[in-house]
Amino acid sequence: MTINVYTEQTPNPATMKFMVNKLLINGSEDFATKESADHSPFAKELFKFNFVSGVFFASNFVTVTKTDDAEWADIEAILKEFVKGAVESELKIKEDTSEEAPNFEGSETEIKIQQILHDYVRPAVEQDGGAITYKSFDEGVVTVELRGSCSGCPSSTITLKSGIQNLLQRMVPEVTDVVSEAL
């Protein structure tokens, strides 16, 4: 199979999404620091580039966060070629590849919230090179964690309030607010 890689900009100017025509991972893996990439051969190799400050994998893409002193015009082609080679050589994203289906826990309301986030919000957030994780539901407030390009993105607050909060309030009347837990 010939591996094709193409790039997409994300709402976060510090990140670029490198799409491939192959499923890389079920779920997602976030490596916000070089130190966190110890169990990921693929991420560890990306962090060897001095202009890489974060790596995030989901379905068929890897989102790379660059350092402030790097310009996409200078590094995009280098990263594109690296991603192509890494996928072709089947470089592992993580050492342990056992992946399981989502396991929703909690009250009936919490399970409904998690299901909505998984079915409706996750695919949209992944389109922008990020991921969303449910953290808790307490007294009407849903707490989530935004990762990948969504972490630190200038438009993440708008996404959180206008998109996610409105959707959850329509589908789960008990929800009064949605907040993001800082990493």
Side-chain angles (χ1 to χ4, degrees):
M1 175 181 183
T2 302
I3 299 298
N4 297 314
V5 180
Y6 66 95
T7 57
E8 285 184 3
Q9 292 183 326
T10 71
N12 184 345
T15 67
M16 180 80 65
K17 192 172 165 183
F18 294 82
M19 305 284 300
V20 297
N21 58 330
K22 178 181 178 180
L23 180 68
L24 299 175
I25 185 172
N26 287 317
S28 64
E29 285 290 321
D30 190 19
F31 304 99
T33 64
K34 187 176 189 171
E35 296 73 31
S36 67
D38 280 348
H39 70 283
S40 172
F42 199 143
K44 204 185 304 189
E45 288 299 312
L46 276 167
F47 276 111
K48 288 182 179 177
F49 293 106
N50 62 357
F51 48 77
V52 172
S53 68
V55 178
F56 174 78
F57 297 95
S59 54
N60 68 329
F61 66 88
V62 55
T63 300
V64 176
T65 304
K66 68 175 185 65
T67 57
D68 291 338
D69 59 342
E71 296 297 328
W72 285 117
D74 299 330
I75 64 174
E76 183 177 346
I78 295 165
L79 288 170
K80 198 171 174 180
E81 193 60 35
F82 172 81
V83 169
K84 179 177 172 47
V87 174
E88 286 174 342
S89 66
E90 298 184 4
L91 192 58
K92 290 190 182 309
I93 291 174
K94 59 183 184 174
E95 299 292 353
D96 176 24
T97 57
S98 64
E99 195 60 51
E100 53 194 57
N103 183 22
F104 305 133
E105 295 178 348
S107 69
E108 191 176 312
T109 301
E110 289 174 298
I111 291 171
K112 189 173 181 181
I113 291 167
Q114 291 170 67
Q115 189 72 54
I116 291 165
L117 290 173
H118 182 269
D119 294 347
Y120 299 98
V121 179
R122 181 186 55 84
V125 171
E126 284 182 357
Q127 284 292 315
D128 286 337
I132 185 167
T133 306
Y134 170 83
K135 289 303 202 182
S136 65
F137 176 68
D138 186 36
E139 296 182 15
V141 179
V142 175
T143 302
V144 296
E145 178 183 89
L146 296 171
R147 297 176 299 149
S149 69
C150 296
S151 177
C153 173
S155 60
S156 64
T157 303
I158 296 163
T159 300
L160 201 63
K161 297 298 178 183
S162 299
I164 301 167
Q165 182 173 306
N166 288 345
L167 175 71
L168 283 173
Q169 286 176 329
R170 275 196 317 275
M171 297 177 86
V172 185
E174 297 88 346
V175 173
T176 59
D177 195 13
V178 177
V179 297
S180 178
E181 185 178 85
L183 287 177

